Amino acid sequence: GAVVSQHPSWVICKSGTSVKIECRSLDFQATTMFWYRQFPKQSLMLMATSNEGSKATYEQGVEKDKFLINHASLTLSTLTVTSAHPEDSSFYICSARDYSFGELFFGEGSRLTVL
Amino acid sequence: RKEVEQDPGPFNVPEGATVAFNCTYSNSASQSFFWYRQDCRKEPKLLMSVYSSGNEDGRFTAQLNRASQYISLLIRDSKLSDSATYLCVVPQRDGNNRLAFGKGNQVVVIP
């Protein structure tokens, strides 16, 4: 079946630094990928829709200059948390839909802790 | 009305018992629905898709009620390993292939 890989799984950084998270579709092409954030005991919240070759579409309230998304190829999307602060600490998950399977696959998630 | 609503629970279920919970949705045009299972600190994984009236897979049964705009998930003969959060996922209205997530139903199976 289709697989979405996310890296890194865990990252700890100092406040003010930038962190890049990668999301790859391993055996299918994904023109669209999605980025979510999940705080403890809360539901997944869609942050943005990443479109290959064009600008991402951000959800209301999500700062596009803080959460930079790049979808340069059909198998890779990256999320960069710029100038991270402790309140950005969260579980970040990406997903991509494989239309041949009709299923949405999720990456393993990246747990960010900002000190 | 929220696009997807779920009672977060928790639903405490004795091992071997049956548990059922609903998910209501606002988009009457939705044609497909999904139940995902999410374990603590893990990514969601597809449990079941619902395209028509319902679906059954072993101990899990999903049913769709279009008139009342809800889908249900029933777990029979609950196992300890069924303890997880079950997320209801429904395509959003904007046609951009985005999916709306409910808050999830937390199930705790008790020995």
Side-chain angles (χ1 to χ4, degrees):
Chain A
V3 176
V4 174
S5 176
Q6 199 170 331
H7 177 81
S9 301
W10 295 82
V11 58
I12 300 173
C13 69
K14 292 182 179 180
S15 185
T17 60
S18 294
V19 176
K20 180 186 283 188
I21 302 170
E22 294 186 348
C23 179
R24 294 181 185 271
S25 56
L26 295 186
D27 52 6
F28 67 100
Q29 293 182 333
T31 55
T32 304
M33 291 185 177
F34 307 95
W35 287 97
Y36 307 84
R37 180 167 53 182
Q38 187 175 36
F39 292 106
K41 298 187 178 182
Q42 295 190 20
S43 183
L44 287 170
M45 295 298 295
L46 179 66
M47 298 176 65
T49 301
S50 172
N51 303 298
E52 188 269 335
S54 64
K55 293 182 179 180
T57 303
Y58 289 82
E59 294 299 298
Q60 192 172 10
V62 178
E63 300 176 57
K64 62 180 181 180
D65 294 329
K66 181 168 181 64
F67 299 99
L68 301 178
I69 291 173
N70 183 279
H71 194 154
S73 76
L74 289 171
T75 59
L76 174 64
S77 175
T78 61
L79 169 69
T80 301
V81 183
T82 62
S83 187
H85 291 283
E87 57 265 29
D88 297 324
S89 299
S90 187
F91 191 45
Y92 292 86
I93 307 177
C94 71
S95 71
R97 197 164 188 183
D98 180 356
Y99 288 92
S100 61
F101 287 99
E103 180 178 339
L104 186 70
F105 292 93
F106 288 87
E108 305 94 329
S110 301
R111 190 162 300 281
L112 171 64
T113 301
V114 184
L115 302 177
Chain B
R1 184 179 182 181
K2 291 184 179 179
E3 290 185 302
V4 181
E5 291 195 76
Q6 291 181 261
D7 176 359
F11 294 79
N12 297 313
V13 187
E15 190 176 6
T18 296
V19 61
F21 34 82
N22 294 336
C23 162
T24 58
Y25 61 93
S26 61
N27 183 3
S28 59
S30 296
Q31 296 296 313
S32 57
F33 309 86
F34 306 93
W35 282 106
Y36 278 77
R37 170 191 170 133
Q38 186 175 25
D39 292 293
C40 187
R41 295 176 174 260
K42 298 285 187 179
E43 77 276 19
K45 293 186 178 179
L46 182 65
L47 176 68
M48 194 173 293
S49 305
V50 184
Y51 295 105
S52 56
S53 60
N55 196 1
E56 184 173 334
D57 183 5
R59 298 182 294 107
F60 297 84
T61 301
Q63 290 192 320
L64 169 62
N65 185 317
R66 290 192 184 277
S68 301
Q69 293 185 208
Y70 73 85
I71 58 172
S72 63
L73 182 66
L74 182 145
I75 307 175
R76 288 184 297 275
D77 187 22
S78 298
K79 311 292 184 187
L80 295 177
S81 57
D82 294 334
S83 296
T85 296
Y86 293 85
L87 300 172
C88 174
V89 182
V90 182
Q92 294 190 9
R93 301 174 187 170
D94 57 17
N96 289 333
N97 303 317
R98 296 184 304 165
L99 304 177
F101 290 79
K103 291 186 179 296
N105 301 113
Q106 184 186 5
V107 172
V108 179
V109 181
I110 305 166

